[in-house]
C-alpha cells in the first residue's frame, strides 16, 4: 500500500543532540493524522524535514510518492504547510500575502481571488484582510497561517500546532475546519501536544517522544491496545473492613481508595474482572448498589508511555 | 489537484512582486531616497555657488556617487535574504513551490527594478536641475549609459552585502562588513592613489580607482583655492565611475587619459615649482570597458557565491 507520507529510520541530529531518532511513520491517504508529543519531542523537526527545510542526517522520507529533498519546488505544489508560530512579512496586507503566495502556486488571478475571499471568511479574518500583517494579533497571524496552507486545496496539508495562541472559540473553529477539509479529500498531518484536540479530530495518531515513535496506529487501536489499566467504581451498602481487605488480596487489584460508600479500585489489568470483584464483595458481606468502569483517555496513555520510556533510559 | 506544470516565470514573478512591495515600503528606503535627493541637489547647487554658471556637460558627467551606491545596495540588499531568516518569514516563503534559485533571482531582479526606477527619477531630477541652473545640456541621449553604469557600480555592493548576509545569516553584520569594506577601499585607494607612482593596480579593485586627466577639456573649470579641476577632463578609472567613463568614451573614443605623479609637497605648498611627472597614458575606451567588465565579474562572482551558500542553508531557527 502507498502512503501519503512514509519515513524510514528518519534521523536528525543537531550536534550531539538527536532530535529525531530512527523514526518510522506512515500516513495513509485521506486521513487526519495526529502527531503528538511533548515539547521538544521532535515533531517540528520531523515536519521540517518532510517539507524540505532541513536535511535528514540519515534515513529517508517519501511524501506523495516522491523522496524528500532540500530544495524541491515542484513537489511543494501539492502540499500546504503551516509552520509552528508562523511569521509573515509585516509590510504585506493579509489578502496581499495570500495573493502573492497563490501566484507562487501558479494559480490564475480569477480563481485566486475567489479562493482568497472564501478562505478569509473561513478563518474568520473578514474585515481585516486589508490590514497590514504587522498589525495582526498572534491569533490572527495563526489564522492567516491556516488560510495560506489551504490556498490551493492541496492533496496534503501539514499543520504544525495550528491551535497554538488561539482563543477557545478559535480552537473549536480550527478543529471543525480540519474535519471539513478532510471531507474534501485532503490528507492532514497535524501536530499538537494537546491530546483532547487530537482525540476529537484524528482518525490516526502517532505519539512521539525524544524523537522516537512510541506508537502509531488508528486512534481506536491506540486506545485499545495500549491504554493503561482501568479503574472500577463500586457503591456498596454495608461496606466493612473485610470487604476492603479481601479485595486487596486479589492479584489484579493495585490500589483502593474509599469515599463514603464508594470504592475506587485501580486495576493493573485490562481483562474483564468485574465478575470476580462482585463475587468477592458479596462473599465478604457487602451489597453492591452500582458498579462502573472507567477506561483511560489518550491523556493517560500518553503520560504513561512517556513515563515508561523515561524509566527505560 | 494533480501535479500540473506551473511555469517557472509565473512563480518567479510572484517572488519579484513579493520583494518589490517589501522594498518600496521600507522606511530605510524612503530615507535613502531623501538622502540621494539632497546629494543630487548639492551636486547641482555647489558648482553654481562656486561661480560656474554654464556647463553643457553637467548632466552627462553626473553620477549619483559612490556613497549612494553603497547606501542603496544596503537598503535593498542587506535584509533581502538574511533579514527573512532573522524574522522567520523565510519559512513560509521557502515552503511554497519556489526554488531557492528562483527566490534568489527574483529578489535580485526586484532590486534591479527598484534601483533602476530610483536612479531614473534622480537622473530626471538632475536633467531638469542642469537645464535650469547650467543652461542647455549636451548629449542627453547618453544619460541611459550613466544610469547603466551607476547600476553596475551599485550591484557590486549589492553582491557584497548579500554574500556577507548569506554567510553570516546576520543582516547587521552584513551591513557593517559592507560599510567597513567601503570605507577601507575609499581611504585605501585614495592614499595609494596619492602616494604611489604606480596606481595601475587600483583599476582592478572596486572603488574609485586611479585619478587622471583626459586630454579633452570641454567641461567647466572649477577652482578651489589653488587647484583647478576641469569637470569633464578629471577622470577616475574605478568601478565607481563606469557610467561617466562610458559616456566620455562614447563622445571621444580616441581620447587618452594621462596619469601624473604629484608629490604631496606640491599640493600643500602652492609655490612649489616642480611639475607633476607623467606616469602613463591610457585610452578612455579601455578604461570604461575595463571597469564595466570588472564590475560584472565581481558582481557575478559575489552572486554565485551567495547563491551557493543560500542553497545549502538549513532552516531550523
Ligand atoms: N536549531 C536547533 N539547534 C539545536 N537543537 C535544536 C534545534 N531545533 C530544535 N532542536 C532540538 O531538537 C529537539 C526537537 O525539537 P522540536 O522543535 O522538533 O520539538 P517539538 O516536538 O516540535 O516541540 P514543541 O512542542 O515544543 O514544538 C529539541 O530537543 C530541541 O531542543
Ligand atoms: Mg514544535
Amino acid at each position: 500500500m502507498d502512503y501519503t507520507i512514509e519515513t524510514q529510520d528518519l534521523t536528525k541530529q543537531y550536534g550531539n543532540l538527536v532530535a529525531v531518532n530512527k523514526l518510522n511513520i506512515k500516513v495513509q491517504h485521506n486521513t487526519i493524522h495526529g502527531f503528538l508529543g511533548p515539547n521538544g519531542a521532535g515533531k517540528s523537526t520531523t515536519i521540517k524535514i518532510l517539507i524540505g527545510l532541513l536535511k535528514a542526517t540519515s534515513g529517508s522520507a517519501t511524501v506523495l510518492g516522491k523522496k524528500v529533498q532540500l530544495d524541491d519546488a515542484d513537489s511543494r505544489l501539492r502540499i500546504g504547510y503551516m509552520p509552528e508560530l508562523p511569521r509573515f512579512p509585516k509590510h504585506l496586507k493579509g489578502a496581499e500575502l495570500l495573493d502573492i503566495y497563490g501566484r507562487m502556486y501558479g494559480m490564475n488571478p480569477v480563481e485566486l481571488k475567489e479562493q482568497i475571499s472564501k478562505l478569509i471568511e473561513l478563518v474568520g479574518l473578514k474585515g481585516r484582510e486589508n490590514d497590514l500583517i504587522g498589525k495582526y494579533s498572534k491569533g490572527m497571524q495563526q489564522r492567516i497561517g491556516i488560510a495560506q496552507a489551504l490556498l490551493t486545496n492541496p492533496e496534503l496539508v501539514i499543520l504544525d500546532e495550528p491551535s497554538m495562541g488561539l482563543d477557545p472559540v478559535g480552537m473549536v473553529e480550527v478543529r471543525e475546519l480540519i474535519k471539513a477539509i478532510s471531507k474534501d479529500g485532503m490528507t492532514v498531518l497535524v501536530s499538537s501536544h494537546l491530546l483532547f484536540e487530537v482525540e476529537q479530530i484524528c482518525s490516526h495518531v502517532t505519539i512521539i517522544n525524544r524523537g522516537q515513535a512510541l506508537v502509531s496506529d488508528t486512534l481506536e487501536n491506540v486506545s485499545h491496545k495500549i491504554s493503561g489499566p482501568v479503574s472500577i467504581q463500586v457503591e456498596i451498602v454495608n461496606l466493612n473492613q473485610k470487604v476492603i481487605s479481601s479485595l486487596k488480596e486479589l492479584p489484579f487489584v493495585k490500589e483502593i481508595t474509599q469515599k463514603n460508600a464508594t470504592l475506587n479500585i485501580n486495576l493493573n489489568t485490562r481483562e474483564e474482572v468485574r465478575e470476580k470483584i462482585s463475587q468477592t464483595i458479596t462473599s465478604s458481606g457487602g451489597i453492591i448498589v452500582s458498579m462502573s468502569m472507567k477506561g483511560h483517555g489518550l491523556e493517560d496513555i500518553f503520560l504513561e508511555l512517556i513515563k515508561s520510556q523515561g524509566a527505560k533510559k | 489537484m494533480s501535479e500540473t506544470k506551473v511555469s517557472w516565470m509565473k512563480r518567479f514573478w510572484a517572488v519579484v512582486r513579493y520583494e518589490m512591495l517589501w522594498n518600496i515600503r521600507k522606511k530605510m528606503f524612503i530615507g535613502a531616497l531623501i538622502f540621494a535627493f539632497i546629494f543630487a541637489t548639492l551636486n547641482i547647487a555647489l558648482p553654481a555657488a562656486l561661480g560656474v554658471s554654464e556647463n553643457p556637460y553637467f548632466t552627462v558627467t553626473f553620477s549619483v556617487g559612490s556613497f549612494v551606491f553603497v547606501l542603496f545596495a544596503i537598503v535593498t540588499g542587506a535584509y533581502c535574504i538574511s533579514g527573512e531568516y532573522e524574522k522567520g518569514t523565510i519559512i513560509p516563503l521557502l515552503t511554497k513551490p519556489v526554488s531557492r534559485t528562483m527566490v534568489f533571482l527574483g529578489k535580485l531582479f526586484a532590486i534591479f527594478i527598484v534601483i533602476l526606477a530610483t536612479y531614473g527619477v534622480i537622473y530626471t531630477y538632475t536633467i531638469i536641475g542642469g537645464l535650469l541652473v547650467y543652461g542647455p545640456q549636451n548629449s542627453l541621449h547618453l544619460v541611459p549609459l550613466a544610469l547603466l553604469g551607476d547600476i553596475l557600480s551599485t550591484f557590486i555592493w549589492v553582491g557584497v552585502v548579500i554574500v556577507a548576509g548569506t554567510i553570516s545569516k546576520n543582516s547587521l553584520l552584513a551591513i557593517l562588513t559592507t560599510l567597513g569594506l567601503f570605507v577601507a577601499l575609499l581611504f585605501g585607494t585614495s592614499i595609494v592613489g596619492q602616494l604611489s607612482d604606480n596606481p595601475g593596480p587600483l583599476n582592478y579593485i572596486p572603488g574609485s580607482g586611479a585619478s587622471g586627466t583626459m586630454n579633452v577639456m570641454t567641461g567647466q573649470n572649477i577652482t578651489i583655492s589653488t587647484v583647478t579641476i576641469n569637470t569633464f577632463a578629471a577622470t577616475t578609472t574605478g568601478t565607481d565611475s563606469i557610467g561617466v567613463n562610458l559616456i566620455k568614451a562614447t563622445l571621444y573614443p580616441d581620447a587618452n587619459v594621462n596619469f601624473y605623479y604629484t608629490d604631496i609637497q606640491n599640493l600643500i605648498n602652492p609655490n612649489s615649482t616642480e611639475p607633476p611627472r607623467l606616469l602613463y597614458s591610457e585610452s578612455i575606451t579601455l578604461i570604461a570597458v575595463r571597469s564595466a567588465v570588472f564590475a560584472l565579474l565581481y558582481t557575478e562572482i559575489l552572486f554565485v557565491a551567495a547563491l551557493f551558500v543560500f542553497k545549502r542553508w538549513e532552516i531550523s531557527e
Side-chain angles (χ1 to χ4, degrees):
Chain A
M1 177 170 178
D2 267 358
Y3 295 93
T4 305
I5 299 174
E6 189 172 3
T7 69
Q8 289 97 22
D9 291 335
L10 196 68
T11 301
K12 177 70 189 176
Q13 269 178 282
Y14 294 112
N16 282 331
L17 188 138
V18 188
V20 177
N21 193 355
K22 298 200 171 147
L23 185 71
N24 292 294
I25 54 172
K26 293 185 169 81
V27 175
Q28 287 175 23
H29 296 309
N30 199 8
T31 56
I32 304 180
H33 197 109
F35 197 29
L36 263 178
N39 292 135
K43 304 180 294 288
S44 300
T45 305
T46 306
I47 288 175
K48 281 179 183 164
I49 296 172
L50 295 177
I51 197 75
L53 284 172
L54 287 176
K55 226 164 52 187
T57 311
S58 65
S60 66
T62 312
V63 174
L64 293 167
K66 253 173 121 181
K67 256 237 164 85
V68 171
Q69 281 169 341
L70 198 58
D71 190 18
D72 184 0
D74 283 345
S75 26
R76 291 194 294 264
L77 281 167
R78 302 158 66 195
I79 307 174
Y81 164 62
M82 177 200 179
E84 173 176 42
L85 294 175
R87 272 157 296 167
F88 301 107
K90 290 189 168 71
H91 60 275
L92 291 178
K93 296 165 186 161
E96 251 172 13
L97 179 89
L98 296 181
D99 182 63
I100 289 177
Y101 282 170
R103 284 163 197 261
M104 290 179 186
Y105 285 99
M107 294 172 77
N108 81 58
V110 182
E111 168 199 12
L112 184 56
K113 216 174 156 205
E114 245 169 62
Q115 178 74 342
I116 290 171
S117 59
K118 201 182 102 190
L119 284 171
I120 291 278
E121 178 103 52
L122 198 68
V123 298
L125 282 177
K126 194 141 181 81
R128 302 298 301 269
E129 68 268 36
N130 288 322
D131 289 358
L132 289 177
I133 291 173
K135 297 195 170 136
Y136 279 11
S137 72
K138 213 167 49 186
M140 289 164 73
Q141 292 196 32
Q142 202 78 356
R143 284 159 191 262
I144 199 90
I146 295 170
Q148 57 92 42
L150 302 177
L151 263 173
T152 49
N153 297 319
E155 284 164 70
L156 170 64
V157 182
I158 301 178
L159 306 169
D160 199 350
E161 312 236 10
S163 58
M164 202 193 278
L166 293 183
D167 54 37
V169 178
M171 285 168 82
V172 174
E173 283 171 3
V174 167
R175 289 202 286 273
E176 293 309 314
L177 195 121
I178 293 174
K179 281 193 225 168
I181 60 174
S182 168
K183 284 206 188 79
D184 291 346
M186 295 184 198
T187 306
V188 184
L189 177 69
V190 52
S191 88
S192 175
H193 50 249
L194 297 176
L195 300 131
F196 67 93
E197 185 172 76
V198 168
E199 244 171 337
Q200 283 178 35
I201 56 171
C202 296
S203 56
H204 292 68
V205 60
T206 296
I207 300 179
I208 171 179
N209 190 35
R210 300 186 189 190
Q212 282 179 312
L214 303 182
V215 56
S216 186
D217 210 330
T218 61
L219 187 65
E220 216 168 280
N221 284 349
V222 169
S223 310
H224 268 279
K225 261 199 305 207
I226 22 135
S227 66
V230 288
S231 65
I232 288 177
Q233 289 75 39
V234 213
E235 200 183 337
I236 301 167
V237 180
N238 201 11
L239 179 58
N240 56 44
Q241 213 45 52
K242 196 173 161 221
V243 173
I244 297 176
S245 57
S246 54
L247 277 173
K248 274 187 177 161
E249 276 163 28
L250 294 171
F252 46 77
V253 170
K254 203 164 100 189
E255 190 180 42
I256 297 175
T257 52
Q258 181 182 359
K259 201 181 170 200
N260 300 328
T262 306
L263 290 184
N264 184 49
I265 310 166
N266 281 338
L267 306 178
N268 56 21
T269 177
R270 281 188 57 79
E271 272 153 40
E272 184 51 86
V273 292
R274 274 180 293 188
E275 220 179 287
K276 283 180 189 151
I277 287 181
S278 135
Q279 260 172 14
T280 312
I281 293 172
T282 315
S283 61
S284 307
I287 300 163
I288 298 169
V289 216
S290 77
M291 186 188 265
S292 64
M293 188 164 81
K294 253 196 219 153
H296 286 203
L298 201 47
E299 184 106 25
D300 305 274
I301 304 168
F302 184 50
L303 293 173
E304 203 70 33
L305 278 170
I306 288 163
K307 248 191 277 167
S308 68
Q309 199 205 18
K312 266 186 257 159
K313 301 253 151 158
Chain B
M1 200 171 37
S2 64
E3 190 170 357
T4 44
K5 280 267 163 281
V6 175
S7 84
W8 197 94
M9 272 320 263
K10 254 188 183 168
R11 297 185 246 177
F12 173 79
W13 273 113
V15 177
V16 174
R17 244 184 96 220
Y18 174 92
E19 187 69 15
M20 288 239 294
L21 281 176
W22 186 16
N23 268 312
I24 57 176
R25 287 179 188 170
K26 279 181 200 161
K27 285 199 191 77
M28 253 177 125
F29 177 77
I30 314 286
L33 206 57
I34 292 169
F35 180 89
F37 271 99
I38 293 173
F39 181 80
T41 309
L42 286 178
N43 247 288
I44 298 167
L46 220 52
L50 291 168
V52 178
S53 58
E54 60 182 63
N55 182 358
Y57 289 96
F58 170 77
T59 305
V60 290
T61 53
F62 171 81
S63 156
V64 296
S66 61
F67 186 70
V68 176
F69 300 152
V70 179
L71 194 66
F72 276 102
I74 286 175
V75 164
T76 56
Y79 291 91
C80 91
I81 293 180
S82 50
E84 296 239 31
Y85 180 82
E86 289 160 331
K87 293 197 205 82
T89 50
I90 194 114
I91 293 179
L93 178 61
L94 289 186
T95 47
K96 296 293 167 296
V98 287
S99 68
R100 296 187 188 197
T101 309
M102 218 181 265
V103 167
F104 189 83
L105 295 179
K107 280 172 173 271
L108 280 188
F109 192 73
I111 290 174
F112 172 76
I113 294 176
V114 167
I115 289 178
L116 177 69
T118 307
Y119 288 1
V121 171
I122 294 172
Y123 271 100
T124 310
Y125 177 70
T126 54
I127 289 172
I128 295 167
L131 287 171
L132 290 176
V133 178
Y134 302 110
Q137 296 289 298
N138 284 346
S139 313
L140 283 182
H141 64 284
L142 295 180
V143 168
L145 276 181
L147 205 60
L148 173 78
D150 281 3
I151 289 173
L152 271 177
S153 310
T154 307
F155 261 73
I156 297 177
W157 295 106
V158 173
V160 169
V161 79
I162 290 181
V163 158
T166 47
I167 291 173
S168 67
K169 291 187 177 177
N170 182 328
S171 305
L172 187 63
L173 198 64
I175 293 174
L176 293 177
T177 307
T178 307
L179 282 176
L181 189 65
F182 172 72
V183 170
L185 285 176
L186 187 69
F187 286 105
T189 49
S190 50
I191 290 168
V192 172
Q194 260 334 311
L195 300 182
S196 161
D197 56 4
N198 179 21
L202 296 181
N203 296 330
Y204 307 101
I205 300 171
S208 55
S211 305
T213 310
M214 197 163 88
N215 57 6
V216 176
M217 295 287 208
T218 41
Q220 220 57 32
N221 286 330
I222 299 178
T223 306
I224 303 168
S225 80
T226 59
V227 185
T228 299
I229 296 170
N230 183 284
T231 53
F232 194 85
T235 301
T236 49
T237 62
T239 54
D240 285 349
S241 322
I242 300 168
V244 180
N245 288 345
L246 284 175
I247 287 174
K248 287 179 183 173
T250 311
L251 288 173
Y252 303 100
D254 301 324
N256 279 321
V257 178
N258 299 321
F259 296 86
Y260 296 94
Y261 178 70
T262 313
D263 198 309
I264 198 100
Q265 284 304 316
N266 291 24
L267 290 174
I268 296 165
N269 178 8
N271 300 325
S272 165
T273 49
E274 198 195 324
R277 178 157 53 89
L278 179 70
L279 292 171
Y280 60 91
S281 295
E282 255 180 353
S283 132
I284 183 71
T285 306
L286 170 71
I287 290 170
V289 171
R290 184 180 56 206
S291 58
V293 167
F294 269 85
L296 279 171
L297 200 67
Y298 285 129
T299 310
E300 193 183 313
I301 291 170
L302 291 165
F303 285 157
V304 167
L307 182 59
F308 181 87
V309 176
F310 178 50
K311 278 181 80 106
R312 277 151 192 82
W313 267 16
E314 286 198 68
I315 319 280
S316 59
E317 271 184 295

